[in-house]
Amino acid sequence: GGGLKKDSYSAEELAGAVRFDQLLNMVAEALPEMRIRFSTSHPKDMTDEVLNVMAKHHNICKYIHLPVQSGSSRILEMMNRGYTREWYLSRIRSIRAIMPDCGISTDVISGFCSETEEEHAETLSLMEEVGYDFAYMFSYSERPKTLAERKYPDDIPAETKNRRLQEIIALQGKLSQQSNQKDLGKTFEVLVEGLSKRSDVHLSGRTSQNKVAVFPKGNAKAGDYVKVKIHSCTSATLLGDIVETTNHTES
């Protein structure tokens, strides 16, 4: 595209004329100095067209939240997710091929109705195969008026759900640590958000991959973009030092 043609579009105009990947491209071209991050609610939204637009523009964050919920195709069908384990992993392969530096997070549910130990193990193995940077992890509880409540008994004991959840959390802690260790020695552009939670002489911000970085504040302030070289990490945080301040600011 040639940029935005007018100041605003109605929902009807956008729905009728513009796919999401086209809209994303228009916004990225119209606002080259602004960092753009978006979230997707379903893996089916993450088409190759969207991935190619993300890869093309520096100002679109290289981060995708791709909720999987379970690594078992049988459980995914019961959840009415509309995809299989294999289809989901094919989306992951496309992300890795088109944007090798992309951060990926997910949602995982333990103990869905009738989930077996083998199906729980399938979730763990999928997490290992993808190597998520971080995840939002829950045990299953019935929600009113959902398909699961109408069709399936909530038949996994609470202690089993919790034990499986703790295994998921422990694995993700390991995967997050491994992911962050790969960033040691690298330099990332970070958008400064403010003081870190633990120190008033350190700032905190996020990389394009949505990882939290903490670093001595120097002359930087909230809203600045800074280049931060990473020297150490925890499973949750990158630690580094400012090596350069860039001038473009948030609009």
Side-chain angles (χ1 to χ4, degrees), residues 144-171:
K145 299 179 182 172
T146 59
L147 179 71
E149 186 198 37
R150 292 196 303 273
K151 288 182 67 175
Y152 310 124
D154 184 4
D155 57 359
I156 305 298
E159 58 269 25
T160 302
K161 286 181 187 176
N162 190 55
R163 191 250 314 150
R164 290 177 185 173
L165 178 61
Q166 294 312 311
E167 291 177 11
I168 288 167
I169 290 170
L171 173 57

Side-chain angles (χ1 to χ4, degrees), residues 173-186 188 198 211-214 229-241:
K174 184 186 83 169
L175 296 176
S176 293
Q177 183 76 39
Q178 290 173 351
S179 170
N180 285 350
Q181 284 174 336
K182 291 177 186 174
D183 290 338
L184 297 183
K186 295 180 182 177
F188 295 94
R198 298 185 182 180
K211 291 186 179 184
V212 174
V214 173
K229 185 170 184 178
I230 306 306
H231 58 64
S232 56
C233 68
T234 69
S235 62
T237 309
L238 302 175
L239 307 170
D241 294 293

